[in-house]
Each structure stands twice: as structure tokens, then as C-alpha cells.
Amino acid sequence: MVAARILGNMHQRYDATAILNPMMRAVVYDEPGSFTVREVPVPTVGEGQVLVRMTAAGMCGTDLHLHEGQFLANFPLTPGHENLGVVESVGNDATGGEVLDGEGAPLQVGQQVVINPNSACRACAYCLEGRPWLCGSFAGVGSSTPGGFADYLLVPGAQVFDATGIDPDLAVFAEPSACIAHLIDRLEPLAGCSVVVLGAGPTGVLLTQFLLFGGASSVVLADPNEFKLAVASSLADIGTFVMNREDVAGSMDAMVTSWGEFDVVIDATGRAGVIEELPRLARGGGRIVYYGVADEADVVRISPFDIFRRELTIMGSFTEVDSFPDALAAFRAGAIRVDGLITHRFGVDEYAAALEALRSDRSAHKIVITA
Ligand SMILES: [Zn+2]
Ligand SMILES: [Zn+2]
């Protein structure tokens, strides 16, 4: 009835605005450390774009860095980069992300999709040599543009990937899994390697499974948190080690006593005190990977003679741009299990409580913002 009156009285702007610009809830940071959950207009779909109605969005340590204004954060900001939803509307000429033949996949209203948050210019030297994650114009949904801690998310169609038939509690891990798929690419050749992962957060747990799927001969996961280790070893055939937070170096030496030195050593903690000691775990010729997000100000001490003498490689693996198809293929192959990983769910309105759980609740594993 209100709509009918507006159609008849388009000059009456007061009602027309409310009808033509429906509102949604969103987490909005005006500046680092300061956010509110407020009503904002639902974005309007343009050419090549897709509007997604959010069903779930994962939180991770990156959201704490964004809270502090780090990690390419662009304010005002709605975070949320691990996004799952259903297609609400499709703009003109919008198709989904490229499938193998280079064609965009058609999208249907109501279809379950995941969103690749990352994009690059596709024209610079890095992009043209096939390394778009190094692009100077690299941009991220939920850091440089509005993300999914909201009722709706507007994104370019090329960043939307079909997740039909995948359990939503698995599909919500698509983004961290795509980052891991990129890391696995970086680690080729991986087959036959012994690997140790430091940090049994959700990423560490997923990572152990992708490493085995990628051909690693053995995987050991280390963390001080026995609950997280128990979850991880219930999901994959891995070794576990309970780290002593007070004696990281001693813990690592004890691991080498148990398992020998490792071909590949991966940090998924981002903690300088752990990163500094990683060479202890590496075999001669081994590779050490910085995968966890360290604080931007952190500095660590490494012995250059040790790196030289034992021909160690220290490498980073940052994010992904083109790895969503690989992650989704691993899901569809049944290679990745996440039972018990999601421990906490909060509504968009409860973002403050979700952040607090992420920061300090030792029983929290994966935290998901749900519709
Ligand atoms: Zn994340
Ligand atoms: Zn580029």
C-alpha cells in the first residue's frame, strides 16, 4: 500500500527513499579501533556486479589486524573477507568467476556462492607474469572495499564462485582454503616432504589436510592448545606436539628429537617468538615459510651463517588471487573436513562480542558471523 502511494506520488521523497533504498545492517569502522553496527543502504547492483545476501562470514586474525588499522585497511571500513551467501541479484553482463576454459560461469538468483575477496589489475608486470598477488593495485573485499559483516555484499561477478551442494559449514572456509591452495602451489614440489606446522588455529588445521592432499609424506602440528590439537588430529592423520609457550626453543628441540628435522617448516602463528626459532626445525636444504600474519612492527633475529651453511630457504606466502577453484575442488573431492572447527556463531549485531571471543576466548576455534 505504501509502495502504491509512492508510485502515485513520486514527488513525495520521504517514503520513496525508504522503499527505493532498502536498508541493511553492517559493521562500520569509521577509524581504527572504533566501529558501530548500523543501518546503511543496501548497495545497488551495477553492470558486471552481483549482490549477495550473506549467510555466513568467517572471522580470523586478519580482522584483529584490521581493527588496529593494519593490513591494507581503508577507512571507513566494513570488514569480512571469508564470505558465503546466496545470489540476490545479478547485474547486466555479470557472470561468475572464470572456470577452466576461461569462460565466466552463469549465476542464478538463490544459488549458494563464495566470494573471492582478492583482485589485481591484470595489466602490470607482476600480473602479466602470472603473479597477481604481488600486484601494486592488489585489492581486498573487507579491507580495501566493504566486506561481508553485513546483510548484503556487492562484488564484481568475476569474484563470485559457485558453492552449490557444499555444506555451508565447509564452504565458509573457502577463502582461508584458497590462501592455503596458493601456499601449496608455492611449495611445489611437495610430494614426499616431511612438514611441520606451527599453530593449530583454523588455518593450521586446514593446512595440515591440504598438505596431505598435496602429497606431503608426513605432517606434524604443534601448538600450546591441546584442545585445538585434538580437533586437528581427529580430522587428519597427523602427529601433534604440545608446545611450551615459556620455552619455544626447547619445545622445538624436543620435536626434532621425536621426529627428526623437517623438509618444510611452516609458521601459522605470526608470533615473532616462534618465527625466530624456526630454523631449529629445518633439515639442511629445507624451506621455512612465513604464513601467519606477523605484526607489521615485528623484527626477528636469524643467523645468516646458519641459512648459508645449511642452504635454508626462507619464503613468504601472503594470500591468493586465482586459487578459489583449487580450494573448491578439494572440498568437492572430500579431502577437507572441518567437523568441530566452528565453535562460536554470532549475529552481525553481536560483532563486539565476536571480536572479544576472537581476541581472548581460549575455547574459541573458528568464529563465524551468521545471518
Ligand atoms: Zn581470514
Ligand atoms: Zn597488476
Side-chain angles (χ1 to χ4, degrees), residues 60 81-82 175:
C60 78
H81 60 278
E82 303 182 1
E175 191 275 343

Side-chain angles (χ1 to χ4, degrees), residues 71 79 123 126 181 188 231 244 246 261 267 308 314 319 327 356:
F71 217 83
Y126 286 126
E188 287 300 329
V231 171
N244 178 355
E246 310 307 317
E261 292 167 330
D267 175 67
F308 157 77
I314 297 179
T319 181
E356 192 47 43

Side-chain angles (χ1 to χ4, degrees), residues 115-188:
I115 314 304
N116 182 356
N118 301 323
S119 59
C121 80
R122 305 291 180 183
C124 72
Y126 286 126
C127 285
L128 294 177
E129 69 194 44
R131 297 193 291 175
W133 50 90
L134 300 178
C135 176
S137 302
F138 177 88
V141 168
S143 50
S144 20
T145 59
F149 296 149
D151 293 325
Y152 293 91
L153 175 62
L154 181 66
V155 283
Q159 290 171 239
V160 177
F161 288 83
D162 177 42
T164 303
I166 300 176
D167 180 345
D169 282 357
L170 174 60
V172 75
F173 288 95
E175 191 275 343
S177 297
C179 291
I180 290 167
H182 170 68
L183 166 59
I184 300 293
D185 282 347
R186 299 265 294 118
L187 286 175
E188 287 300 329

Side-chain angles (χ1 to χ4, degrees), residues 13-264:
R13 282 179 45 235
Y14 53 91
D15 275 338
T17 312
I19 297 296
L20 298 177
N21 290 320
M23 305 295 277
M24 68 173 188
R25 297 167 305 166
V27 174
V28 183
Y29 278 88
D30 292 306
E31 57 184 331
S34 165
F35 70 88
T36 55
V37 181
R38 67 176 81 144
E39 296 272 311
V40 301
V42 175
T44 309
V45 184
E47 184 99 8
Q49 294 179 317
V50 175
L51 184 67
V52 175
R53 179 171 56 77
M54 294 297 302
T55 53
M59 296 186 78
C60 78
T62 302
D63 296 308
L64 291 178
H65 288 274
L66 290 169
H67 180 85
E68 305 298 337
Q70 299 180 351
F71 217 83
L72 315 173
N74 201 1
F75 294 91
L77 172 68
T78 293
H81 60 278
E82 303 182 1
N83 297 314
L84 172 70
V86 295
V87 173
E88 177 79 7
S89 57
V90 181
N92 281 338
D93 293 331
T95 57
E98 283 185 9
V99 288
L100 286 180
D101 58 3
E103 294 284 314
L107 292 171
Q108 305 291 332
V109 171
Q111 175 183 354
Q112 178 172 265
V113 291
V114 289
I115 314 304
N116 182 356
N118 301 323
S119 59
C121 80
R122 305 291 180 183
C124 72
Y126 286 126
C127 285
L128 294 177
E129 69 194 44
R131 297 193 291 175
W133 50 90
L134 300 178
C135 176
S137 302
F138 177 88
V141 168
S143 50
S144 20
T145 59
F149 296 149
D151 293 325
Y152 293 91
L153 175 62
L154 181 66
V155 283
Q159 290 171 239
V160 177
F161 288 83
D162 177 42
T164 303
I166 300 176
D167 180 345
D169 282 357
L170 174 60
V172 75
F173 288 95
E175 191 275 343
S177 297
C179 291
I180 290 167
H182 170 68
L183 166 59
I184 300 293
D185 282 347
R186 299 265 294 118
L187 286 175
E188 287 300 329
L190 177 62
C193 289
S194 61
V195 187
V196 60
V197 176
L198 287 301
T203 280
V205 175
L206 291 169
L207 180 50
T208 60
Q209 299 180 49
F210 273 91
L211 287 163
L212 292 171
F213 189 54
S217 62
S218 65
V219 177
V220 174
L221 180 65
D223 196 282
N225 188 317
E226 295 185 51
F227 153 67
K228 291 183 178 177
L229 291 175
V231 171
S233 61
S234 76
L235 298 173
D237 183 14
I238 57 170
T240 59
F241 186 87
V242 184
M243 296 278 292
N244 178 355
R245 244 181 241 280
E246 310 307 317
D247 184 13
V248 170
S251 291
M252 289 185 182
D253 290 345
M255 291 175 69
V256 169
T257 302
S258 297
W259 283 288
E261 292 167 330
F262 298 87
D263 295 313
V264 178

